[in-house]
């Protein structure tokens, strides 16, 4: 049986009308038997706020009310709300109980269970919408198959085990039903709920597609594909019809929020095609991400990743010494931090931290313990308020004239760090957060809009 996995993001399942448009997309594709949903738009943010220590009782009740309202507005539009009302009520009571439990015990496991509730509600409601359209459909608890480690807030999926469980528990259900399941969430080997990090539903869909050897995974969102840059930043951004796995992976890694950075990995492993399109305007088509594309251009896109932290490490011990970097990297690895960009001079190392692995609950990466450990063998300076702008393309490191074009545009801006050459697919500059939008616009204008 050929299988297509469709994933719908938060805005796509924001309300009943949006869910109905998604139902049309599913029902128009005979191969689409597995649907992965995010929480309805805004719900995860409200849940994140509920996990914060600073939330007082009054605000807690307000947040619970807002979450319930979003879900009930969808329920009330169903022809037979009574079919799922009791289940929805019990999910909402669970949200309330978990938020109360957190007041007494700020456990990461409880936080993750709370954060998972948005997807549990939206999957229940979306399956009901499909049933009202006459489809045979039910919701499926993805925690039965999405085994992860116990790193709450940023759990690591266990690929082999997921495949075995998906074949055993999920595949048989897909034969004559449309199964709706949750993105973003999983469970550890003790059955405790975990989450994969913000935006993780795309990753969930790709993992399930890999486990079930699907033919394609469709990421339905609020834009008609992957654009040459975030269309919110540059109105002249153009949709890309076809892009390679490596280009798309670079874009996602460097901040194109339209895809979670890990999404491409499972697709590459199984050679599964990925489609990105708009659930509001499916007729506009979208972007196909494939193993190979014909004539990949020098410049493909500009991406931006905000909220970057730069660590400057200074130590005279570094001079003509060996092992300084090894020690630094080992310390960062112990704190589960991966380094993103790096530049070095004789007695200085500057590195940016990869924030794509931040916790679902938004907790920062840097902590006192790490800084103290690093301070034992060097002087540490932390700079915030930075943004990383990446020019993504092909043969960047081996094409003459690229730097001239890019640096002409950057002339009025202070570039804090430059990285180029490690990958043929990107050239990155670190600039102040306040200048990032202008840098992206100017680069886009110069590299993509000439002659438009
Ligand atoms: P969903 O909730 O469906 O997962 P997201 O908000 O996570 O949607 O991702 C879609 C958003 O990604 C778009 O609204 C757009 O602003 C942003 N985005 C950033 N870069 C790009 C890009 N290069 N192409 C398309 N969208 C982009
Ligand atoms: N609901 C989660 C989030 O808002 C996961 C997702 O939307 O992909 O981050
Ligand atoms: Mg997303």
């Amino acid at each position: 049986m050929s299988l297509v996995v469709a994933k719908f993001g938060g805005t796509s399942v924001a309300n009943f009308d949006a869910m109905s448009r998604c139902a049309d997309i599913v029902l128009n594709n005979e191969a689409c038997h597995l649907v992965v949903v995010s929480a309805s738009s805004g719900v995860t943010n409200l849940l994140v706020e509920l996990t914060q220590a600073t939330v007082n009782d009054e605000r807690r009740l307000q947040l619970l009310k807002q979450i319930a309202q979003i879900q009930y507005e969808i329920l009330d539009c169903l022809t037979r709300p009574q079919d799922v009302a009791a289940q929805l009520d019990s999910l909402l009571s669970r949200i309330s109980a978990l938020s109360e439990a957190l007041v007494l015990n700020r456990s990461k496991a409880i936080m993750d269970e709370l954060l998972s509730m948005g997807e549990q509600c939206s999957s229940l409601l979306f399956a009901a919408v499909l049933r009202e359209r006459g489809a045979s459909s039910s919701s499926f608890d993805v925690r039965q198959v999405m085994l992860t480690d116990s790193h709450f807030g940023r759990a690591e999926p266990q690929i082999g085990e997921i495949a075995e469980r998906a074949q055993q528990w999920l595949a048989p259900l897909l034969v004559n039903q449309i199964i709706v399941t949750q993105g973003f969430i999983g469970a550890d080997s003790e059955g405790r709920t975990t989450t994969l990090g913000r935006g993780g539903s795309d990753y969930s869909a790709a993992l399930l597609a890999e486990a079930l050897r699907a033919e394609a995974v469709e990421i339905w969102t609020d834009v008609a594909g992957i654009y040459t840059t975030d269309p919110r930043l540059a109105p002249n951004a153009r949709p890309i019809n076809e892009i390679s796995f490596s280009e798309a992976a670079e874009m996602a890694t460097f901040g194109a929020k339209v895809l979670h950075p890990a999404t491409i990995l499972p697709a590459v492993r199984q050679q599964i095609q990925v489609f990105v399109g708009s659930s509001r305007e499916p007729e506009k088509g979208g972007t196909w991400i494939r193993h190979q594309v014909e004539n990949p251009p020098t410049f493909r896109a500009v991406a931006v990743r905000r909220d970057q932290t730069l660590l400057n490490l200074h130590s005279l011990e570094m001079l003509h010494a060996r092992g300084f970097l090894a020690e630094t990297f080992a310390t960062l690895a112990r704190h589960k931090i991966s380094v993103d960009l790096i530049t070095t001079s004789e007695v200085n190392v500057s590195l940016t931290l990869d924030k794509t692995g931040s916790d679902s609950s938004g907790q920062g990466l840097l902590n006192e313990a790490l800084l103290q450990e690093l301070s034992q063998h060097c002087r540490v300076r932390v700079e915030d308020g930075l943004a990383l702008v990446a020019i993504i393309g092909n043969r960047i490191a081996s094409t003459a004239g690229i730097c001239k074009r890019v640096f002409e545009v950057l002339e009025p801006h202070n570039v804090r760090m430059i990285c180029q050459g490690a990958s043929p697919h990107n050239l990155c500059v670190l600039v102040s957060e306040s200048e990032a939008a202008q840098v992206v616009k100017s680069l886009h204008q110069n590299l993509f809009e000439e002659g438009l």
Side-chain angles (χ1 to χ4, degrees):
M1 182 179 89
S2 86
L3 172 68
V4 167
V5 177
K7 176 259 167 176
F8 296 98
T11 41
S12 302
V13 294
N15 51 45
F16 181 79
D17 289 343
M19 281 194 180
S20 301
R21 286 192 290 269
C22 298
D24 288 337
I25 291 172
V26 173
L27 298 172
N28 280 335
N29 184 348
E30 273 189 6
C32 182
H33 280 254
L34 182 61
V35 174
V36 176
V37 287
S38 292
S40 299
S41 187
V43 170
T44 310
N45 286 348
L46 295 169
L47 292 167
V48 167
E49 197 180 336
L50 270 181
T51 66
Q52 310 294 308
T54 45
V55 167
N56 62 25
D57 249 9
E58 190 189 341
R59 180 69 186 142
R60 199 174 66 79
L61 294 177
Q62 267 176 4
L63 290 167
L64 291 172
K65 206 166 144 193
Q66 279 176 314
I67 294 168
Q69 197 175 342
I70 295 172
Q71 310 303 344
Y72 283 136
E73 272 177 17
I74 303 173
L75 183 84
D76 291 344
C77 293
L78 293 171
T79 319
R80 292 183 310 277
Q82 63 277 15
D83 290 359
V84 283
Q87 276 167 285
L88 185 64
D89 283 340
S90 97
L91 291 174
L92 294 170
S93 310
R94 184 83 189 139
I95 296 178
S96 171
L98 289 165
S99 72
E100 248 173 74
L102 267 185
V103 177
L104 300 171
N105 175 6
R106 300 203 42 75
S107 133
K108 290 205 155 194
I110 301 180
M111 285 186 198
D112 260 10
E113 189 177 342
L114 183 54
L115 292 174
S116 78
M117 299 306 293
E119 272 72 8
Q120 296 193 53
C121 293
S122 59
S123 51
L124 175 76
L125 292 165
F126 192 77
V129 170
L130 282 174
R131 281 194 299 273
E132 293 205 345
R133 298 292 198 81
S136 159
S137 176
S138 29
S139 61
F140 175 84
D141 189 337
V142 82
R143 290 170 296 184
Q144 284 185 50
V145 298
M146 190 62 72
L147 182 77
T148 69
D149 66 7
S150 305
H151 193 150
F152 297 104
R154 204 172 128 193
E156 198 58 52
Q158 310 294 297
I159 313 296
E161 188 72 26
I162 293 169
E164 273 175 38
R165 292 182 181 200
Q167 289 295 342
Q168 185 171 1
W169 305 111
L170 193 48
L173 304 178
L174 302 175
V175 176
N176 48 17
Q177 275 193 81
I178 300 171
I179 294 295
V180 182
T181 197
Q182 306 83 30
F184 178 55
I185 78 177
D188 71 2
S189 56
E190 291 174 38
R192 295 175 298 179
T193 304
T194 55
T195 59
L196 308 184
R198 293 302 306 267
S201 296
D202 302 331
Y203 188 26
S204 303
L207 286 165
L208 292 172
E210 176 186 32
L212 295 161
R213 295 177 184 272
E215 175 192 330
V217 52
E218 300 177 347
I219 307 287
W220 293 99
T221 179
D222 57 0
V223 277
I226 301 180
Y227 281 58
T228 46
T229 193
D230 187 342
R232 284 176 214 247
L233 281 181
N236 285 336
R238 294 194 305 267
I240 301 167
N241 293 336
E242 240 194 4
I243 186 170
S244 69
F245 280 138
S246 31
E247 292 171 301
E250 294 269 338
M251 284 184 73
T253 306
F254 285 107
K257 188 178 170 234
V258 64
L259 273 188
H260 182 276
T263 314
I264 300 296
L265 287 173
V268 172
R269 284 192 295 256
Q270 283 291 327
Q271 304 261 319
I272 299 166
Q273 300 194 24
V274 182
F275 172 83
V276 181
S278 158
S279 66
R280 186 174 270 278
E281 298 169 303
E283 67 289 347
K284 277 196 169 172
T287 304
W288 277 103
I289 308 174
R290 303 185 202 276
H291 184 55
Q292 260 184 335
V293 295
E294 273 178 33
N295 305 322
T298 311
F299 296 117
R300 181 61 98 179
V302 182
V304 59
R305 215 166 59 187
R306 295 174 185 282
D307 194 18
Q308 297 299 285
T309 303
L310 182 69
L311 273 189
N312 288 292
L313 310 177
H314 170 87
S315 165
L316 292 176
E317 279 171 35
M318 230 185 279
L319 204 61
H320 308 305
R322 294 178 190 85
F324 178 83
L325 282 181
E327 207 173 319
T328 305
F329 279 79
T331 308
L332 292 166
R334 267 197 303 283
H335 288 264
K336 293 213 178 292
I337 290 179
S338 70
V339 172
D340 202 20
L341 303 185
I342 174 161
T343 57
T344 61
S345 77
E346 273 188 349
V347 289
N348 288 289
V349 180
S350 291
L351 38 93
T352 61
L353 306 182
D354 183 354
K355 282 211 175 175
T356 47
S358 302
D359 275 5
S360 298
S361 56
Q363 288 184 7
L365 289 172
L366 279 185
N367 58 55
E368 260 324 297
L370 166 71
L371 292 177
Q372 268 185 11
E373 230 177 287
L374 287 172
S375 304
Q376 279 166 13
H377 66 120
C378 58
R379 203 174 67 219
V380 184
R381 198 157 47 86
V382 181
E383 281 180 52
D384 284 317
L386 296 164
L388 186 71
V389 177
I391 296 141
I392 319 284
N394 298 280
R395 305 170 301 276
I396 298 238
S398 54
T399 306
I402 290 203
C403 286
K404 181 171 185 287
R405 282 190 75 181
V406 170
F407 290 126
E408 263 170 13
V409 180
L410 293 173
E411 194 189 332
H413 303 282
N414 177 33
V415 177
R416 185 62 194 78
M417 185 166 160
I418 301 166
C419 269
Q420 195 245 341
S423 153
H425 293 296
N426 71 58
L427 188 168
C428 302
V429 291
L430 199 63
V431 295
S432 130
E433 177 105 48
S434 59
E435 292 179 67
Q438 190 52 50
V439 169
V440 171
K441 268 193 225 156
S442 309
L443 280 171
H444 191 270
Q445 238 165 29
N446 195 281
L447 306 179
F448 295 90
E449 298 175 30
E450 271 181 0
L452 272 192

